[in-house]
Amino acid sequence: MASQLQQRIPVAVLGATGMVGQRFIELLHNHPWFELVGLAASEQHGGRPYGEVARWRLPESDMPASVASLPVVACRPEALPGVRVVFSALPGEVAGEIEEAFARAGVAVFSNAKNHRMAPDVPLLIPEVNADHVAAIQEQRQRREWPGFIITNANCSATPLVMALKPLQQAFGIKKAILTTLQAISGAGYPGLPSYDIVDNVIPYIGGEEEKLERETRKMLGTWEEGRGFVDAPLAVSAHCTRVPTREGHLECVSIELERQATPEDIIAVWTNYQPEPQQLKLPTAPAHPLIYRYEEDRPQTVRDRNAGRGMTATIGRLRPCPILSYKFVVLGHNTIRGAAGGSVLNAELCVQKGLL
Amino acid sequence: MASQLQQRIPVAVLGATGMVGQRFIELLHNHPWFELVGLAASEQHGGRPYGEVARWRLPESDMPASVASLPVVACRPEALPGVRVVFSALPGEVAGEIEEAFARAGVAVFSNAKNHRMAPDVPLLIPEVNADHVAAIQEQRQRREWPGFIITNANCSATPLVMALKPLQQAFGIKKAILTTLQAISGAGYPGLPSYDIVDNVIPYIGGEEEKLERETRKMLGTWEEGRGFVDAPLAVSAHCTRVPTREGHLECVSIELERQATPEDIIAVWTNYQPEPQQLKLPTAPAHPLIYRYEEDRPQTVRDRNAGRGMTATIGRLRPCPILSYKFVVLGHNTIRGAAGGSVLNAELCVQKGLL
Amino acid sequence: MASQLQQRIPVAVLGATGMVGQRFIELLHNHPWFELVGLAASEQHGGRPYGEVARWRLPESDMPASVASLPVVACRPEALPGVRVVFSALPGEVAGEIEEAFARAGVAVFSNAKNHRMAPDVPLLIPEVNADHVAAIQEQRQRREWPGFIITNANCSATPLVMALKPLQQAFGIKKAILTTLQAISGAGYPGLPSYDIVDNVIPYIGGEEEKLERETRKMLGTWEEGRGFVDAPLAVSAHCTRVPTREGHLECVSIELERQATPEDIIAVWTNYQPEPQQLKLPTAPAHPLIYRYEEDRPQTVRDRNAGRGMTATIGRLRPCPILSYKFVVLGHNTIRGAAGGSVLNAELCVQKGLL
Amino acid sequence: MASQLQQRIPVAVLGATGMVGQRFIELLHNHPWFELVGLAASEQHGGRPYGEVARWRLPESDMPASVASLPVVACRPEALPGVRVVFSALPGEVAGEIEEAFARAGVAVFSNAKNHRMAPDVPLLIPEVNADHVAAIQEQRQRREWPGFIITNANCSATPLVMALKPLQQAFGIKKAILTTLQAISGAGYPGLPSYDIVDNVIPYIGGEEEKLERETRKMLGTWEEGRGFVDAPLAVSAHCTRVPTREGHLECVSIELERQATPEDIIAVWTNYQPEPQQLKLPTAPAHPLIYRYEEDRPQTVRDRNAGRGMTATIGRLRPCPILSYKFVVLGHNTIRGAAGGSVLNAELCVQKGLL
């Protein structure tokens, strides 16, 4: 068991120079179970120290001194000997083959990339939502003859939605969800969105985002069934995705239709009392409360609530009846922590506890 | 007829020092039909010149020199002798009684305040949408024994929605609309929203706004029937209203359910060809196109499209199927021009053409 | 000595509902030497619990639960029996008399208000800069016959400037400083600056700020001489103060003329090695490094460096020759922590160590 | 003379797809003297229509329909036959050789690039400041044996400074100027500054900008002397350049030392009465007032004053004594109009009037 780990598991970050890569470094620095021993990015860096090739972008921290001296190697298994886990912040253009090469070489891959998310044998995992989807790994390894495996985390806008929906699905069933997202600029990576495009502006379009959100939500709220594979939840999802001038934090206005009747008190109780596996296991990166409900009429707000639970909690508010579906509410999640790097670190922690590492 | 007006109609602005009041001044300055001869605000100004008591807030213009020397009088009919039309930018706390006093004194009141919007004999008017609701004035005058009358314009977030829905309602029928608004800070007036509350933030709540939006939409899309009064449109509306850090322009993400089938091409054609009464009459403040459809995948955008048609056009884009209702799209309108002062000026122009002034 | 304090000193916050008042609460919550037992604000709150009368504005934290239940009493000594220290975040309109009443009642007052800053017997204190000015308290008590006393902290824009200048003054002498400040919106308090005034804008004027900055700098860099009182430093200061759309952190572009020659290396060494009394005493709120020099060409930056040393460190960068004076550089400080509440808490800690409490 | 131009002069824009290129198009569209007949950019566009290869970035306008169908050709003289004037918005990496090729081919080049600004025979021209520097063209043509010529406009931050200083230099002499600039994001071009770098931030560094500002100011305020060439003004300039989150408009806080005494009234009169050659000639792009002085204590402001004189006026305010130099003041100019495209168009208009085209 993790708590008896004799020594920390050696891990590496792929795509270590980008914004999500830096979040991985920030979260893995001084992690109780994982020891960050390797950094990989594009070949051009040729093994030079991270402190030389990367500029630190995260305003909340400085580059950890121990990381500055690590060489930035190529994204190849042989360049990272001894590494048992990699966290991938690679861009979609290259993530597919690189991640597979690591899995083939026996490494456990926890990926933030979109490439394998919808594969029929790859878990799209949020430990508070679908921890049982980890079972797909066995089939993944058999089919692909990999000693390692790949687990993905969800799109940053799908994550808080699914966290809010899961306990409702369990308690009351959900038939429909229509939502509009108001997403922060960090979601576009770095350099990402030109400042001239977003100061004093809203852009009501993020390429591919609505499709991802709709599709991933159904997979995560669905089931893994032996012999059948992943079965989507019978849930209709319709998303409008927009970009707004905020630094971090995706806020979402959601209308849902429940299968069974529930009072607002019922719903809030279900959210407030939600204590799934990661919280019971007290995984290091799991927040004490995966969901917080705020009773103030104007919460959650992006700047005030994005750091709840060190960025791992989804904050909900404004539950009220919807004149068209059953209820409407607002949910907010930190997009580069819970919605990206933090999500994958929590996935890896779950796998440690399940004996997969 | 207006085009043969021998001389311009003397008008005044109530609440002339606030942000909407200043928009009224901006739009009435050099207006072909109206001559701005009076400014009124709270009693405390005691007739001092506007240039002394007011600070100009609008960045697009300077205070017109002719206005700077006008005295700021109290909001009483006797303080504005000879004025036949008043444009009211008064706050809701005082608008009710003041506006009635002017109507009682024989003045035509065009109001941006919320107080009388839902009254059973007061038109909630957008000339492109429900010009026929002007018929309610006859009953209003009879019932209230007023020589003057009151006509209101709609809430700034209801306005672009209703403009986009009206031609669809005519052509295909509408059963439901779920929307999320992303509203600019100027919608909160001046001083309005503290900067510390909105820089790097989204506030998913605007007091009373969702109720107003849902209610006013049904009234405006409804009918005026002799003997029955206003009959709401049989339309379910569900709104999420949010405030985002933009200066001007309310952007709205809308999902709708139509009564009859329509292709995207049908819908866009209906929007693009929409030329209702104000455009046919070529009212001075009416834009050539009340609705513009942008085919780019990422339009309308707040900073790029808010000034379309000098702030009087609603810009639409991103029409696509909705997995839950029939279609989804984005619409944007300028909140302090079309959604406030410009809307009321257009209402007054319509009344001139209809011989009511 | 503080480290042997048997029990914590009971303290209260005056002006507890405003933004600086909330920073005081945040910093005093769980303070090792001070126990927050009282909250005071305007009479109107009539003893109701803080959690009822105040809305928490700080995005980095929630209202501490222990504080929510404290009654908000009037700003009178008799309403806060047993309190030995008050931290004043009162507005200038009322701070003068209230603070004096507390000092007269035997309470030590640590004030963020401007009222007494320039009084000839009141220290304007930054412990890293002029800890010896505390000596003025003896005269203050004698002259005024107060059992308590008043110590003020400096204006938020003067604070980082003076921190950067002090070690240079000691080492090389300073004759002139010309600077432009780029100040955050939180410096204007709450509600403070209307958002419509600052989104996409710079306002090159802050009422009274330039005078305060110029005057306070000379007092703080001056001396306290027995029999003569405060003697201003013979330093010419010229300030341009501007407001920019950032939440927290005042950034300042400074040109200085030194009395004696110094190389850039000399100057940076003096800054980097600066370890004055608060650091030697390891006062709880003192940062390990009062000054940090960043070698990157584009630092300090507001969003990246404002939280250095938990908001108590001033960050300096871009030292380079000035074609007109000797050198130019950039300095940044957190305006509501180091430049306001944190500064006063550190002042109180210094007084504990000096045996004044 | 221009007013008798029988037909408009055919002109082209080099670098037509970027932000300054689009400002050129906006200003040349419907220009009374120039007819925009050609657009050039990188070879890759291969003659495809502008409407296909370029996305319009300017929020104040849409792409002119007549421009959308123009082919985007390579930046070579032979690709633009018949063009007598080119406006260059090319990046510095390629502008040097391309602009020389056009001058060699007999074309008059008006450039916004930095490459030739400091050349000893190239005017760095602001018509209101140094119209007589045009005399250098004769030497330029002789030395280089060019039938055409190159004239440059100044850096966007040097432009408003020099406009404010010129009449003071004439009237009172200037010895020193220390300034801090607060520059808009559009100054970095497109895509330019990543949004994650500037939302809620100030960056106190713009590569090369301080040196350009200091150097160009001395050249523009200097003289052209036959036989000696350009002689720098004997003026010390020290600049701090910063980037702030505004869209357009560079605001500058300036302290100056005059050679001769002057009262504030003297100085304001000199600014207000300034009517140099472009205003006397009534050049089409020249604003009625090149300098406007605002008496309000908090003006100029970026969002309110940047569009003064359609973006061609520099707005000044807050003149007051400086405790170190003689006076301090604030000046604001539109960086992509007066400080870039508009400046070059005005330069070309001056050359038309001087018979050089």
Side-chain angles (χ1 to χ4, degrees):
Chain A
M1 280 216 321
S3 51
Q4 284 103 38
L5 279 179
Q6 297 282 320
Q7 51 186 42
R8 294 189 293 163
I9 300 170
V11 305
V13 173
L14 309 182
T17 57
M19 205 129 89
V20 172
Q22 300 196 346
R23 283 283 182 213
F24 272 124
I25 292 172
E26 191 177 63
L27 293 164
L28 292 169
H29 179 62
N30 293 329
H31 191 281
W33 297 356
F34 302 126
E35 183 180 7
L36 180 57
V37 299
L39 298 175
S42 83
E43 305 255 349
Q44 72 189 40
H45 298 309
R48 281 186 297 145
Y50 189 73
E52 270 180 33
V53 306
R55 292 200 67 177
W56 195 252
R57 304 285 172 200
L58 305 182
E60 297 87 359
S61 59
D62 278 322
M63 184 188 294
S66 61
V67 165
S69 56
L70 282 181
V72 180
V73 302
C75 291
R76 289 195 303 263
E78 58 272 26
L80 292 165
V83 162
R84 288 172 46 206
V85 171
V86 294
F87 294 95
S88 166
L90 292 169
E93 296 82 49
V94 300
E97 292 189 18
I98 291 176
E99 293 175 3
E100 293 180 15
F102 275 90
R104 202 175 298 119
V107 178
V109 178
F110 294 91
S111 172
N112 184 56
K114 65 180 175 186
N115 306 58
H116 299 97
R117 282 185 194 154
M118 296 306 297
D121 56 357
V122 174
L124 181 56
L125 186 64
I126 298 177
E128 284 92 343
V129 169
N130 58 347
D132 58 311
H133 285 204
V134 168
I137 289 179
Q138 197 178 352
E139 181 168 322
Q140 184 192 122
R141 286 171 142 171
Q142 284 176 348
R143 273 166 62 165
R144 307 204 190 211
E145 300 187 345
W146 286 347
F149 60 82
I150 296 175
I151 286 179
T152 60
N153 64 274
N155 182 279
C156 51
S157 62
T159 300
L161 174 69
V162 169
M163 289 175 67
L165 294 187
K166 177 66 181 186
L168 305 189
Q169 183 197 34
Q170 287 180 327
F172 316 112
I174 299 183
K175 291 198 287 190
K176 297 174 187 170
I178 297 190
L179 73 153
T180 298
T181 67
L182 294 85
Q183 303 186 214
I185 54 178
S186 58
Y190 188 89
L193 206 61
S195 51
Y196 195 71
D197 280 350
I198 197 66
V199 170
D200 190 20
N201 201 19
V202 172
I203 305 178
Y205 174 74
I206 300 173
E209 191 84 354
E210 296 173 351
E211 295 77 3
K212 279 188 253 177
L213 203 166
E214 294 171 8
R215 200 167 54 208
E216 296 180 9
T217 297
R218 285 192 299 272
K219 178 172 179 179
M220 285 188 280
L221 293 178
T223 51
W224 168 260
E225 303 182 11
E226 285 307 322
R228 279 188 71 196
F230 289 111
V231 179
D232 273 3
L235 171 72
V237 184
S238 174
H240 297 255
C241 293
T242 76
R243 189 78 70 191
V244 296
T246 56
R247 294 185 63 83
E248 307 270 4
H250 289 358
L251 185 143
E252 311 186 358
C253 297
V254 190
S255 284
I256 52 168
E257 183 155 319
L258 300 178
E259 284 179 11
R260 294 180 288 284
Q261 282 210 324
T263 67
E265 292 71 29
D266 293 340
I267 292 173
I268 293 173
V270 159
W271 278 330
T272 302
N273 299 328
Y274 195 55
Q275 284 285 312
E277 204 167 343
Q279 279 67 38
Q280 293 171 17
L281 295 171
K282 294 191 192 303
L283 299 181
T285 301
H289 302 280
L291 301 174
I292 288 179
Y293 187 84
R294 306 276 326 197
Y295 288 88
E296 298 94 326
E297 66 189 0
D298 60 355
R299 300 288 281 269
Q301 290 179 19
T302 305
V303 85
R304 294 172 175 278
D305 295 301
R306 62 190 172 199
N307 290 320
R310 303 175 137 230
M312 290 297 288
T313 292
T315 304
I316 308 173
R318 297 208 70 214
L319 183 73
R320 59 211 190 280
C322 175
I324 292 179
L325 304 185
S326 315
Y327 281 100
K328 32 187 180 179
F329 63 89
V330 178
V331 62
L332 172 81
H334 195 297
N335 53 301
T336 61
I337 298 181
R338 169 57 86 162
S344 264
V345 171
L346 189 59
N347 287 348
E349 292 170 2
L350 182 75
C351 288
V352 169
Q353 278 293 12
K354 288 188 179 288
L356 285 160
L357 293 181
Chain B
M1 279 215 321
S3 52
Q4 285 104 37
L5 280 178
Q6 298 282 320
Q7 50 186 42
R8 295 189 292 163
I9 300 169
V11 306
V13 173
L14 309 182
T17 57
M19 204 128 88
V20 172
Q22 300 196 346
R23 284 283 181 212
F24 271 124
I25 291 172
E26 191 178 62
L27 292 165
L28 292 168
H29 179 61
N30 293 328
H31 191 281
W33 296 357
F34 303 125
E35 183 180 7
L36 181 57
V37 300
L39 299 175
S42 81
E43 306 255 350
Q44 71 189 41
H45 299 307
R48 282 186 296 146
Y50 189 73
E52 270 180 32
V53 306
R55 294 200 66 177
W56 197 251
R57 305 284 172 199
L58 305 182
E60 297 87 359
S61 59
D62 278 321
M63 184 188 294
S66 61
V67 165
S69 57
L70 281 180
V72 180
V73 302
C75 290
R76 289 196 302 264
E78 58 272 26
L80 292 165
V83 163
R84 289 173 46 206
V85 172
V86 294
F87 294 96
S88 167
L90 292 169
E93 297 82 49
V94 300
E97 292 189 20
I98 291 175
E99 293 175 3
E100 292 180 14
F102 275 90
R104 201 174 298 119
V107 178
V109 178
F110 294 90
S111 173
N112 184 56
K114 65 181 176 187
N115 306 57
H116 299 97
R117 282 186 194 152
M118 296 306 296
D121 57 356
V122 175
L124 181 57
L125 186 64
I126 299 177
E128 283 92 342
V129 169
N130 58 347
D132 57 311
H133 285 202
V134 168
I137 289 178
Q138 197 179 351
E139 182 167 322
Q140 182 191 125
R141 286 170 142 172
Q142 285 177 347
R143 274 166 61 165
R144 308 203 189 213
E145 301 187 345
W146 286 348
F149 59 82
I150 296 176
I151 286 179
T152 60
N153 66 274
N155 182 278
C156 51
S157 62
T159 300
L161 174 70
V162 169
M163 290 176 68
L165 294 187
K166 177 66 181 186
L168 305 188
Q169 182 198 34
Q170 287 181 327
F172 317 113
I174 299 183
K175 292 197 287 190
K176 298 174 187 170
I178 298 190
L179 72 153
T180 298
T181 66
L182 295 85
Q183 302 186 215
I185 54 178
S186 57
Y190 187 90
L193 206 61
S195 52
Y196 195 72
D197 280 350
I198 197 66
V199 169
D200 190 18
N201 201 18
V202 171
I203 303 178
Y205 174 73
I206 301 173
E209 191 84 354
E210 296 174 351
E211 295 76 5
K212 279 188 253 177
L213 203 166
E214 293 171 9
R215 200 167 54 208
E216 295 181 9
T217 297
R218 284 192 300 272
K219 178 171 180 180
M220 284 188 280
L221 293 178
T223 51
W224 168 260
E225 302 182 11
E226 287 306 323
R228 280 188 69 194
F230 289 112
V231 179
D232 272 3
L235 170 73
V237 183
S238 175
H240 298 254
C241 292
T242 76
R243 188 78 70 190
V244 296
T246 55
R247 293 184 62 83
E248 307 270 4
H250 289 357
L251 185 142
E252 310 185 359
C253 296
V254 190
S255 284
I256 52 168
E257 184 154 318
L258 300 178
E259 284 180 10
R260 295 179 288 284
Q261 283 210 324
T263 68
E265 292 70 30
D266 293 339
I267 292 173
I268 293 173
V270 159
W271 278 330
T272 302
N273 299 328
Y274 195 55
Q275 284 287 310
E277 204 167 343
Q279 279 66 38
Q280 293 170 18
L281 294 170
K282 294 191 191 305
L283 300 180
T285 301
H289 302 281
L291 301 174
I292 288 179
Y293 187 84
R294 306 277 324 197
Y295 288 88
E296 299 93 326
E297 67 189 0
D298 60 356
R299 299 289 281 270
Q301 290 180 19
T302 305
V303 85
R304 294 171 175 279
D305 295 300
R306 62 190 172 199
N307 290 320
R310 302 174 138 230
M312 291 296 289
T313 292
T315 304
I316 309 173
R318 297 207 70 214
L319 183 73
R320 59 210 191 280
C322 176
I324 292 178
L325 304 185
S326 315
Y327 281 99
K328 32 188 179 179
F329 63 88
V330 178
V331 63
L332 172 81
H334 195 296
N335 53 300
T336 61
I337 299 180
R338 169 57 86 162
S344 263
V345 172
L346 189 60
N347 286 348
E349 292 169 1
L350 182 75
C351 287
V352 169
Q353 278 292 11
K354 286 187 179 289
L356 286 159
L357 293 181
Chain C
M1 281 217 317
S3 51
Q4 285 103 39
L5 281 178
Q6 298 282 321
Q7 50 186 40
R8 293 189 296 162
I9 299 169
V11 306
V13 173
L14 309 182
T17 56
M19 204 129 88
V20 172
Q22 300 195 345
R23 283 282 181 213
F24 271 124
I25 292 171
E26 189 178 64
L27 292 165
L28 292 168
H29 179 61
N30 292 330
H31 192 282
W33 297 357
F34 303 125
E35 184 180 7
L36 181 56
V37 300
L39 298 176
S42 82
E43 306 257 348
Q44 70 188 45
H45 299 309
R48 282 186 298 145
Y50 189 74
E52 270 180 32
V53 305
R55 293 200 65 177
W56 196 251
R57 304 285 172 198
L58 305 183
E60 298 86 357
S61 58
D62 277 321
M63 185 187 294
S66 61
V67 165
S69 56
L70 281 181
V72 181
V73 301
C75 291
R76 288 195 305 262
E78 58 272 26
L80 292 164
V83 163
R84 288 172 46 205
V85 171
V86 294
F87 294 95
S88 166
L90 293 168
E93 297 79 51
V94 300
E97 291 188 21
I98 291 175
E99 292 176 2
E100 292 180 15
F102 276 90
R104 202 175 298 120
V107 177
V109 178
F110 294 90
S111 171
N112 184 57
K114 65 181 176 186
N115 306 57
H116 298 97
R117 281 185 194 153
M118 297 306 297
D121 57 355
V122 174
L124 182 56
L125 187 64
I126 299 177
E128 283 92 343
V129 169
N130 59 348
D132 57 312
H133 284 203
V134 167
I137 289 178
Q138 197 180 351
E139 183 169 321
Q140 183 192 123
R141 287 170 141 171
Q142 284 177 348
R143 273 166 61 166
R144 308 203 188 211
E145 301 187 346
W146 286 348
F149 60 83
I150 297 176
I151 286 179
T152 59
N153 64 273
N155 181 279
C156 52
S157 62
T159 300
L161 175 69
V162 169
M163 289 176 67
L165 294 186
K166 177 66 178 186
L168 305 189
Q169 183 198 34
Q170 287 181 327
F172 316 113
I174 298 182
K175 291 197 288 191
K176 298 173 186 170
I178 298 188
L179 72 153
T180 298
T181 67
L182 294 86
Q183 303 186 215
I185 54 179
S186 57
Y190 187 89
L193 207 61
S195 52
Y196 195 71
D197 280 349
I198 197 65
V199 170
D200 190 18
N201 201 18
V202 172
I203 303 178
Y205 174 74
I206 301 173
E209 189 85 353
E210 296 174 350
E211 296 76 5
K212 279 189 252 176
L213 201 167
E214 294 172 7
R215 202 166 52 208
E216 296 181 9
T217 297
R218 284 192 300 273
K219 179 173 180 179
M220 284 189 278
L221 292 178
T223 52
W224 168 260
E225 303 183 10
E226 286 305 324
R228 281 187 70 195
F230 289 112
V231 179
D232 272 5
L235 171 72
V237 184
S238 176
H240 298 254
C241 293
T242 75
R243 189 78 69 191
V244 297
T246 55
R247 293 183 63 84
E248 307 270 3
H250 289 358
L251 184 142
E252 312 186 358
C253 297
V254 190
S255 284
I256 52 167
E257 184 155 316
L258 301 177
E259 284 180 10
R260 294 179 289 284
Q261 284 209 322
T263 67
E265 292 72 28
D266 293 340
I267 292 172
I268 293 173
V270 160
W271 278 330
T272 303
N273 300 326
Y274 195 56
Q275 283 287 311
E277 206 168 341
Q279 279 67 37
Q280 293 171 16
L281 295 171
K282 294 190 192 304
L283 299 180
T285 301
H289 302 281
L291 301 174
I292 287 178
Y293 187 84
R294 307 276 327 197
Y295 289 87
E296 298 94 327
E297 66 189 2
D298 61 356
R299 299 289 282 271
Q301 289 179 20
T302 304
V303 85
R304 294 171 174 280
D305 295 300
R306 61 190 172 199
N307 290 321
R310 304 173 138 232
M312 290 297 287
T313 292
T315 304
I316 309 173
R318 295 209 69 214
L319 183 74
R320 59 211 192 280
C322 176
I324 292 178
L325 305 184
S326 313
Y327 282 99
K328 31 189 180 180
F329 64 88
V330 177
V331 62
L332 172 81
H334 195 297
N335 52 300
T336 61
I337 299 181
R338 170 57 87 160
S344 264
V345 171
L346 189 60
N347 286 349
E349 293 170 359
L350 182 74
C351 288
V352 169
Q353 278 293 10
K354 286 186 180 290
L356 286 159
L357 294 180
Chain D
M1 280 217 320
S3 50
Q4 285 102 40
L5 281 178
Q6 298 282 320
Q7 50 185 41
R8 295 189 294 163
I9 299 169
V11 306
V13 173
L14 309 181
T17 56
M19 204 129 87
V20 172
Q22 300 195 346
R23 283 282 181 213
F24 272 123
I25 291 171
E26 189 177 63
L27 292 164
L28 292 168
H29 179 61
N30 293 329
H31 191 282
W33 298 356
F34 303 125
E35 184 180 6
L36 181 56
V37 299
L39 299 175
S42 81
E43 306 256 348
Q44 72 189 43
H45 299 307
R48 282 186 296 146
Y50 189 74
E52 270 180 32
V53 306
R55 294 200 65 175
W56 196 252
R57 305 284 172 198
L58 305 182
E60 297 87 358
S61 58
D62 278 321
M63 185 188 294
S66 62
V67 165
S69 57
L70 281 181
V72 180
V73 301
C75 291
R76 288 196 303 264
E78 59 271 27
L80 292 164
V83 163
R84 287 172 47 204
V85 170
V86 293
F87 294 95
S88 166
L90 293 169
E93 298 79 50
V94 300
E97 291 188 20
I98 291 175
E99 292 175 3
E100 292 180 16
F102 275 89
R104 202 174 296 119
V107 178
V109 178
F110 294 90
S111 172
N112 184 56
K114 65 180 177 188
N115 306 58
H116 298 99
R117 282 184 195 154
M118 297 307 296
D121 57 356
V122 173
L124 181 57
L125 187 64
I126 299 177
E128 283 92 342
V129 169
N130 59 347
D132 57 311
H133 284 202
V134 168
I137 289 178
Q138 196 180 353
E139 183 167 322
Q140 181 191 125
R141 286 171 143 172
Q142 284 177 348
R143 273 166 61 166
R144 308 204 187 210
E145 301 187 347
W146 286 348
F149 60 83
I150 297 176
I151 286 180
T152 60
N153 65 272
N155 181 279
C156 51
S157 63
T159 300
L161 175 70
V162 168
M163 289 176 68
L165 294 186
K166 176 67 179 186
L168 304 188
Q169 182 197 33
Q170 288 180 328
F172 317 113
I174 299 182
K175 291 197 288 190
K176 298 174 187 169
I178 298 189
L179 73 153
T180 298
T181 65
L182 294 86
Q183 303 186 216
I185 54 178
S186 57
Y190 188 89
L193 207 60
S195 52
Y196 195 71
D197 280 349
I198 197 66
V199 170
D200 189 19
N201 201 19
V202 172
I203 304 178
Y205 174 74
I206 301 173
E209 191 84 353
E210 297 175 351
E211 296 76 4
K212 279 188 252 177
L213 202 166
E214 293 172 9
R215 202 165 53 207
E216 295 180 9
T217 298
R218 284 192 300 272
K219 179 172 181 180
M220 284 188 280
L221 292 178
T223 52
W224 168 260
E225 302 182 11
E226 286 304 324
R228 281 187 70 194
F230 289 112
V231 179
D232 271 5
L235 172 72
V237 183
S238 175
H240 298 254
C241 292
T242 76
R243 189 78 70 191
V244 296
T246 55
R247 293 184 62 82
E248 306 271 3
H250 289 358
L251 185 142
E252 311 186 359
C253 297
V254 190
S255 285
I256 51 166
E257 184 155 316
L258 300 177
E259 284 180 9
R260 295 179 289 284
Q261 284 209 321
T263 67
E265 292 71 28
D266 294 339
I267 291 173
I268 293 173
V270 159
W271 278 330
T272 303
N273 299 326
Y274 195 55
Q275 283 286 311
E277 207 168 340
Q279 280 67 37
Q280 292 171 19
L281 294 171
K282 295 190 191 304
L283 298 180
T285 301
H289 301 281
L291 302 175
I292 287 179
Y293 187 84
R294 305 277 324 199
Y295 289 87
E296 299 95 325
E297 64 189 3
D298 61 356
R299 299 288 281 271
Q301 290 179 20
T302 304
V303 85
R304 294 172 174 278
D305 295 299
R306 62 191 173 200
N307 290 321
R310 303 175 139 232
M312 290 297 287
T313 292
T315 304
I316 309 174
R318 296 208 69 214
L319 183 73
R320 60 211 191 279
C322 175
I324 292 178
L325 305 184
S326 313
Y327 281 98
K328 31 188 180 179
F329 63 88
V330 177
V331 63
L332 172 81
H334 195 297
N335 54 300
T336 61
I337 298 180
R338 170 55 87 161
S344 265
V345 172
L346 189 60
N347 287 348
E349 292 169 1
L350 182 75
C351 288
V352 169
Q353 278 293 12
K354 285 185 179 290
L356 285 159
L357 294 180

